[in-house]
Amino acid sequence: MNQSLHLQGIGMTSRRTRMRLVQRLRDEGIKNEDVLEVMADTPRHIFLDEALAHRAYEDTALPIGHNQTLSQPYIVARMTEILLESKPSRVLELGTGSGFQTVVLAQLVNEVFSVERIRPLQEKAKERFRQMGLRNVRTRHADGGMGWPEAAPYDGIIVTAAPSEIPEELLRQLADGGRLVIPVGGDKQELTVVTRRGNNFDHRVIEPVYFVPLLGGVIR
Ligand code: SAH
């Protein structure tokens, strides 16, 4: 089951502010109404340190520590919209980070598997999922470059850090008809979508993006 959020005590005061953000996402071309609704329902400020919380509804990426960033709302919405086109049920996410993208996904698909290589970020995100009463998210502290083979195949894989090339292993973990949404490249990155049809992989480039790099190894 897709999940709705338990938000008691989290503060709903900012819904009006979030509606302004949603209008902006519409203006920028986001069309999927389910995605827009979830963006309106998900409090982004709780994924940030208090000192930055007042900037939560700006359409910009914001730092979450350890040289990482909470992605720009537009890009979260765009990647989610593209992922949903193939109506996924089980989704793998690489780069849990703050957990914002994870929580957006958890409200739109049946099951989310999310991998993060930096332990303190993973722990914080897990605590947020618990607070929000999410029961359809599994997390793992690991280098996600090899995916999460034990739980494969996935109808959708979303990667929120950029490798220089698409890891082959991720393609193997895609179900037939499933799609991978991933930023690829170094200084110049392209948001890329790969759709699996049997053993054919159809690549499509969406738009230029800028993500932190997908790195190897784990941090404890
Ligand atoms: N979706 C997150 C984005 C965080 S930034 C959010 O909106 O908050 C990208 C994240 O990918 C960082 O937390 C970084 O630690 C993580 N990451 C980078 N390389 C990784 C890897 N190989 N395996 C798992 N996570 C990785």
Side-chain angles (χ1 to χ4, degrees):
M1 270 304 287
N2 306 352
Q3 284 260 261
S4 53
L5 305 180
H6 296 195
L7 295 173
Q8 292 93 329
I10 287 174
M12 289 301 289
T13 44
S14 45
R15 188 171 163 95
R16 197 184 304 155
T17 321
R18 287 203 293 279
M19 291 316 290
R20 271 201 294 275
L21 173 62
V22 165
Q23 185 53 48
R24 176 156 179 175
L25 296 175
R26 279 186 202 282
D27 295 344
E28 286 172 319
I30 305 297
K31 293 196 173 64
N32 184 311
E33 289 297 329
D34 295 335
V35 172
L36 289 165
E37 193 178 317
V38 164
M39 293 300 288
D41 286 347
T42 310
R44 191 167 179 253
H45 61 275
I46 68 153
F47 297 86
L48 293 162
D49 284 344
E50 235 168 284
L52 280 171
H54 68 286
R55 300 190 53 196
Y57 302 100
E58 293 174 18
D59 191 19
T60 52
L62 291 166
I64 53 172
H66 306 269
N67 285 325
Q68 306 304 320
T69 53
L70 201 177
S71 304
Q72 181 192 359
Y74 166 76
I75 206 74
V76 172
R78 187 80 184 105
M79 289 173 82
T80 306
E81 181 172 75
I82 295 167
L83 193 78
L84 289 187
E85 281 170 19
S86 63
K87 308 239 181 306
S89 167
R90 292 158 53 84
V91 169
L92 171 66
E93 176 193 40
L94 303 184
T96 316
S98 67
F100 180 75
Q101 170 84 71
T102 323
V103 170
V104 167
L105 287 169
Q107 296 170 83
L108 292 161
V109 306
N110 279 334
E111 258 185 304
V112 184
F113 298 80
S114 187
V115 184
E116 171 57 54
R117 68 183 279 274
I118 301 178
R119 172 79 86 183
L121 290 179
Q122 192 240 356
E123 293 283 335
K124 245 195 241 179
K126 239 166 74 177
E127 176 54 25
R128 290 175 181 131
F129 304 152
R130 201 193 54 75
Q131 254 182 28
M132 297 179 129
L134 291 177
R135 270 167 293 142
N136 61 345
V137 176
R138 304 276 167 277
T139 61
R140 175 182 257 194
H141 175 234
D143 173 355
M146 299 300 276
W148 186 333
E150 295 83 353
Y154 306 96
D155 312 305
I157 302 180
I158 183 166
V159 184
T160 62
S164 50
E165 284 170 36
I166 295 179
E168 286 275 322
E169 190 51 38
L170 297 185
L171 298 178
R172 269 194 282 278
Q173 291 175 30
L174 268 186
D176 198 5
R179 47 174 54 183
L180 166 67
V181 183
I182 186 170
V184 187
D187 290 342
K188 280 183 86 181
Q189 301 171 4
E190 288 174 326
L191 184 61
T192 306
V193 181
V194 185
T195 307
R196 177 171 198 166
R197 309 234 173 268
N199 282 324
N200 290 330
F201 295 89
D202 166 53
H203 289 240
R204 179 156 62 98
V205 170
I206 306 292
E207 62 193 52
V209 284
Y210 188 73
F211 277 84
V212 295
L214 189 79
L215 299 172
V218 295
I219 294 179
R220 303 207 164 269

